C-alpha cells in the first residue's frame, strides 16, 4: 500500500537556506574582504604623522630639559619600507660636541646623553687624565635591514626607527683621538681600560650594545640601541 509523508514547510526550506549561505546566494554577504594596507616602499617621500604626543615621550622631553640638554623635538614621520620615526629629537648641545648625529628617538637620546655625561666623560678624566671634548659617531637614522644578518629576510635595523647610534671614537683635550677601530686592542692598558669601562657602562644603559667582540661588522664602532634586549657583546 502506497503512502506519503507530509513534511513541515520549515524542514523543506532549510536546505535551500543553507545552500544560499554556503554558495553566496540569497541573503549572503557579497561585500569583498578589505584589502590589506600596502606597505609604502623604501625610499618613498616622508609622510608627517599628525598624532598626539604620548605621555612617556613628553616625560622624556622633560627629562632632557632637566638634564640641561638642548634639543629640538622632531615631527613623527613615515619614510616607507617600515621605517617610521616617532618621538624623536635632534640633540643640539649635550655638553660636548657629537659628530655625525641626526635625529634619534627620545629614550635613546636620554640614554646616550646620560652615558656621555656620567660614564664617558668621567672615565676619560680618571683613566686617561684628559677631558672629553668630542664624541664621533657614524650616525643614527638610516632606513635599512640589519647588516651582517644570516637570515634570508633580515629584520629592519633599529637604525630604521632612529633608535640606534653607532659610536666610532672619542677626542680628548690633550689631542688624542681614541677610536674603536685602532684602539680596541691597543697595547696601552689605560686606553684598553677606558674603552672597556665605557663599553660596560653602555651595557647598563642601552637595550643592545654591540662591539668588536660581536662580529667583524662592528670592528670600528659601538652599536647602541633601545630596541629588544638586554644584549651586550
Amino acid at each position: 500500500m502506497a503512502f506519503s509523508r507530509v513534511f513541515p514547510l520549515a524542514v523543506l526550506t532549510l536546505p535551500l537556506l543553507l545552500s544560499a549561505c554556503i554558495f553566496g546566494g540569497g541573503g549572503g554577504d557579497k561585500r569583498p574582504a578589505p584589502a590589506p594596507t600596502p606597505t609604502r616602499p623604501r625610499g618613498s617621500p616622508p609622510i608627517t604623522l599628525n598624532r598626539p604626543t604620548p605621555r612617556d615621550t613628553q616625560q622624556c622631553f622633560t627629562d632632557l630639559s632637566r638634564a640641561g640638554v638642548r634639543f629640538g623635538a622632531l615631527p613623527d614621520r613615515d619614510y616607507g619600507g617600515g621605517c617610521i620615526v616617532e618621538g624623536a629629537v635632534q640633540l643640539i648641545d649635550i655638553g660636548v660636541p657629537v659628530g655625525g648625529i641626526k635625529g634619534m628617538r627620545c629614550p635613546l637620546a636620554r640614554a646616550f646623553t646620560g652615558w656621555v655625561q656620567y660614564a664617558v666623560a668621567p672615565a676619560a678624566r680618571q683613566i686617561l687624565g684628559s677631558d672629553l671634548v668630542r664624541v664621533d659617531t657614524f650616525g643614527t637614522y638610516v632606513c635599512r635591514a640589519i647588516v651582517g644578518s644570516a637570515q634570508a629576510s633580515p629584520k629592519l635595523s633599529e637604525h630604521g626607527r632612529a633608535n640606534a647610534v653607532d659610536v666610532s671614537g672619542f677626542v680628548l683635550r690633550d689631542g688624542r683621538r681614541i677610536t674603536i677601530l685602532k684602539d680596541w686592542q691597543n697595547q696601552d692598558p689605560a686606553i684598553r681600560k677606558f674603552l672597556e669601562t665605557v663599553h660596560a657602562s653602555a651595557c647598563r644603559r642601552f637595550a643592545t650594545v654591540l662591539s668588536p667582540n660581536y662580529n667583524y661588522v662592528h670592528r670600528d664602532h659601538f652599536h647602541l640601541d633601545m630596541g629588544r634586549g638586554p644584549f651586550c657583546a
Side-chain angles (χ1 to χ4, degrees):
M1 181 178 66
F3 64 93
S4 62
R5 296 181 180 176
V6 178
F7 294 92
L9 180 61
V11 175
L12 291 172
T13 56
L14 181 60
L16 297 176
L17 292 174
L18 290 175
S19 65
C21 293
I22 295 173
F23 295 106
D29 189 354
K30 296 181 180 180
R31 292 174 300 174
T37 303
T39 301
R40 299 175 62 242
R42 188 172 299 174
S44 300
I47 295 176
T48 299
L49 307 174
N50 296 313
R51 300 171 178 173
T53 303
R55 183 171 299 179
D56 58 347
T57 301
Q58 295 176 5
Q59 180 61 52
C60 185
F61 293 162
T62 299
D63 293 341
L64 288 179
S65 297
R66 288 175 178 171
V69 175
R70 291 180 56 219
F71 67 94
L74 300 176
D76 295 346
R77 282 180 175 160
D78 182 340
Y79 291 88
C83 295
I84 299 177
V85 178
E86 300 174 291
V89 299
Q90 177 68 57
L91 293 176
I92 299 171
D93 184 3
I94 69 170
V96 297
V98 180
I101 206 166
K102 298 180 181 178
M104 60 172 70
R105 294 192 68 240
C106 190
L108 174 67
R110 179 172 54 195
F112 178 75
T113 55
W115 178 64
V116 171
Q117 292 175 346
Y118 302 113
V120 181
R125 191 177 307 112
Q126 295 168 13
I127 300 173
L128 299 177
S130 185
D131 289 333
L132 177 73
V133 297
R134 181 181 175 88
V135 177
D136 289 328
T137 81
F138 290 148
T140 50
Y141 172 78
V142 59
C143 186
R144 62 167 173 79
I146 297 173
V147 175
S149 175
Q151 300 178 18
S153 300
K155 296 181 179 179
L156 182 70
S157 168
E158 290 296 325
H159 286 286
R161 303 181 180 92
N163 201 30
V165 57
D166 290 340
V167 175
S168 59
F170 312 92
V171 180
L172 307 182
R173 190 173 301 281
D174 62 13
R176 282 180 292 175
R177 184 168 183 264
I178 312 298
T179 69
I180 311 303
L181 179 61
K182 73 179 179 63
D183 294 312
W184 184 247
Q185 295 182 331
N186 195 299
Q187 297 302 310
D188 187 332
I191 292 177
R192 289 202 313 274
K193 181 178 180 182
F194 166 74
L195 290 177
E196 291 166 359
T197 298
V198 298
H199 173 262
S201 176
C203 291
R204 294 191 291 270
R205 293 176 180 272
F206 299 92
T208 296
V209 176
L210 305 177
S211 74
N213 290 339
Y214 183 60
N215 62 14
Y216 184 75
V217 172
H218 297 85
R219 67 194 181 281
D220 57 359
H221 67 278
F222 290 155
H223 168 96
L224 314 173
D225 77 48
M226 296 298 288
R228 296 181 179 180
F231 184 81
C232 175

